[in-house]
Amino acid sequence: MTHAPQIKIPATYMRGGTSKGVFFRLQDLPEPCQTPGEARDKLLLRVIGSPDPYQKQIDGMGGATSSTSKTVILAEPTQPDHDVDYLFGQVSIDKPFVDWSGNCGNLTAAVGAFAINGGFVAKDRIPENGTCTVRIWQANIKKTIVAHVPITNGEVQETGDFELDGVTFPAAEVQVEFMDPADGEGSMFPTGNLVDDLEVPGVGTLKATMINAGIPTIFLNAEDIGYKGTELQDAINSDPKALAMFETIRAHGAVKMGLIQNIKEAANRQHTPKVAFVAKPSDYVSSSGKQIGEGDVDVLVRALSMGKLHHAMMGTASVAIATAAAVPGTLVNLAAGDGDRTSVTFGHPSGTLQVGAEASLVNNQWTATKAIMSRSARVLMEGWVRVPG
């Protein structure tokens, strides 16, 4: 019996923010995978090492967490005044599907550098020293993102002294602007309310802020579900009943937000919406042992991604947090002390993060104009990824 040899595909393995992923240029993919569909999904699943019933992704590039089971495809821009199209695929760890329903805000920080190194940004727009502004079209959510990438001696600068909680080593700071992050096709608050009563069978009726900014997110009060907002990963990820409760909440919230028609569809839409819970500031110790004081943050937030509590905070969820905090009356805003604000510092399992956001009321509809955060990114490895043919 003969076996086909492996094929090799040009790829780059990058960290962006608190996530890692495999980056491709569209033109480097095998021809059948250059268009959306089954062939592309099967390729990316095999690259990452999914589906894996052991949930380890040993036979692939994934790291067996939602933060490390990610893929990115960059292509020539389809929109005027943009440098590159950015498509993100969240690869399920134990199921055979790739979720294309949302963006990865953390990996967005690496898109600018990859676009420059991959030849998508015109040479005359890259300074010898300074900052290169990369205009990104986020193809999943059809939004513009602007990344400000530091350049030294004509090349992307990756080393630096910017520290990001959730990432062990310092690196160069990359500022990322999410332009008009609210849902362009509907209301930023899909139900029309800043706070809803969300009925969840087996759980109860919960106060919830459901927002579509950065990524669709369901915010709950921590105390309403028996938490303090200071929890670390093990407190929730080692509790099957808690994980089942959050998935039930997520499914019913997705229906309420109009993202799916019935709760059964949630199983095949793991990436969105996110579920998060908030609480007023209090002292806690982060996962690295760092002491976080009550006065260090405006609000505490814990969020789940792909069915598990995130080790830090998703970039897109950070946009949702900052945007919700900027709107008086949301659960996030109330937990942060109420009132008007244009930035928020929140505590997460790995530490703290400050994110700026601007929201305004236009024709009785809330909208967000921009959200800004700083991340870092660097190339971990480049060359070819190999998969069985």
Side-chain angles (χ1 to χ4, degrees):
M1 183 178 179
T2 59
H3 297 276
Q6 291 203 100
I7 60 172
K8 62 179 188 178
I9 304 164
T12 301
Y13 194 47
M14 296 192 73
R15 178 185 64 78
T18 56
S19 292
K20 294 190 292 187
V22 183
F23 284 62
F24 300 94
R25 298 191 309 171
L26 180 66
Q27 65 263 40
D28 292 331
L29 293 176
E31 190 171 346
C33 304
Q34 292 185 14
T35 54
E38 183 180 7
R40 175 185 290 180
D41 287 6
K42 284 185 173 180
L43 172 69
L44 298 181
L45 284 160
R46 196 67 180 89
V47 165
I48 295 298
S50 294
D52 184 355
Y54 304 107
Q55 299 189 42
K56 302 299 181 186
Q57 291 179 327
I58 293 297
D59 200 28
M61 297 293 293
T65 68
S66 67
S67 303
T68 57
S69 188
K70 298 173 180 281
T71 57
V72 169
I73 301 172
L74 263 59
E76 293 294 331
T78 58
Q79 306 298 312
D81 300 320
H82 286 71
D83 297 301
V84 68
D85 276 17
Y86 155 43
L87 187 67
F88 168 68
Q90 178 74 54
V91 179
S92 174
I93 296 170
D94 59 347
K95 296 180 176 63
F97 75 90
V98 181
D99 195 328
W100 302 98
S101 66
N103 177 32
C104 174
N106 275 298
L107 287 187
T108 300
V111 168
F114 186 74
I116 293 170
N117 294 333
F120 292 101
V121 181
K123 293 289 186 183
D124 61 6
R125 296 193 56 251
I126 305 172
E128 184 65 18
N129 292 284
T131 302
C132 180
T133 300
V134 182
R135 303 160 300 181
I136 302 162
W137 179 250
Q138 214 303 316
N140 302 77
I141 60 174
K142 297 178 172 54
K143 292 288 182 179
T144 296
I145 301 173
V146 179
H148 300 277
V149 182
I151 304 293
T152 299
N153 297 327
E155 296 185 351
V156 173
Q157 179 187 328
E158 297 178 306
T159 57
D161 56 9
F162 174 74
E163 296 185 351
L164 178 65
D165 285 343
V167 178
T168 305
F169 303 105
E173 180 178 0
V174 178
Q175 190 178 77
V176 182
E177 297 179 89
F178 297 81
M179 312 304 293
D180 186 27
D183 182 10
E185 298 179 357
S187 172
M188 189 164 82
F189 296 97
T191 67
N193 303 314
L194 300 183
V195 179
D196 279 281
D197 289 325
L198 178 62
E199 296 182 9
V200 184
V203 178
T205 300
L206 305 171
K207 295 293 183 184
T209 288
M210 291 175 273
I211 188 171
N212 195 345
I215 200 164
T217 307
I218 303 159
F219 289 105
L220 310 167
N221 284 321
E223 62 182 3
D224 291 348
I225 50 175
Y227 293 109
K228 297 179 180 179
T230 59
E231 288 77 13
L232 302 184
Q233 280 189 295
D234 284 350
I236 290 174
N237 292 347
S238 62
D239 185 347
K241 289 184 179 179
L243 295 177
M245 176 192 72
F246 281 113
E247 180 58 21
T248 302
I249 293 170
R250 195 184 76 87
H252 285 272
V255 173
K256 187 94 169 178
M257 295 178 78
L259 298 173
I260 57 177
Q261 297 300 312
N262 61 74
I263 59 172
K264 292 181 180 180
E265 295 176 27
N268 291 322
R269 189 185 172 119
Q270 291 186 348
H271 185 51
T272 59
K274 303 299 186 189
V275 179
F277 54 95
V278 300
K280 293 180 179 180
S282 66
D283 298 343
Y284 71 98
V285 178
S286 76
S287 56
S288 67
K290 179 180 178 181
Q291 182 70 42
I292 309 297
E294 179 180 342
D296 295 335
V297 298
D298 301 309
V299 63
L300 301 177
V301 190
R302 300 294 188 264
L304 282 83
S305 178
M306 302 294 285
K308 297 289 180 68
L309 186 72
H310 197 275
H311 73 101
M313 185 55 62
M314 303 81 80
T316 48
S318 300
V319 173
I321 292 165
T323 305
V327 178
T330 68
L331 295 186
V332 183
N333 176 269
L334 293 172
D338 204 357
D340 297 326
R341 61 172 62 246
T342 55
S343 71
V344 65
T345 299
F346 60 86
H348 56 74
S350 293
T352 68
L353 180 66
Q354 182 179 29
V355 183
E358 300 172 6
S360 58
L361 192 61
V362 179
N363 296 324
N364 293 319
Q365 292 277 345
W366 281 100
T367 186
T369 55
K370 182 165 61 175
I372 306 173
M373 73 178 77
S374 288
R375 315 303 267 173
S376 62
R378 74 180 185 94
V379 173
L380 302 177
M381 188 169 64
E382 56 192 348
W384 295 270
V385 65
R386 295 183 182 241
V387 294

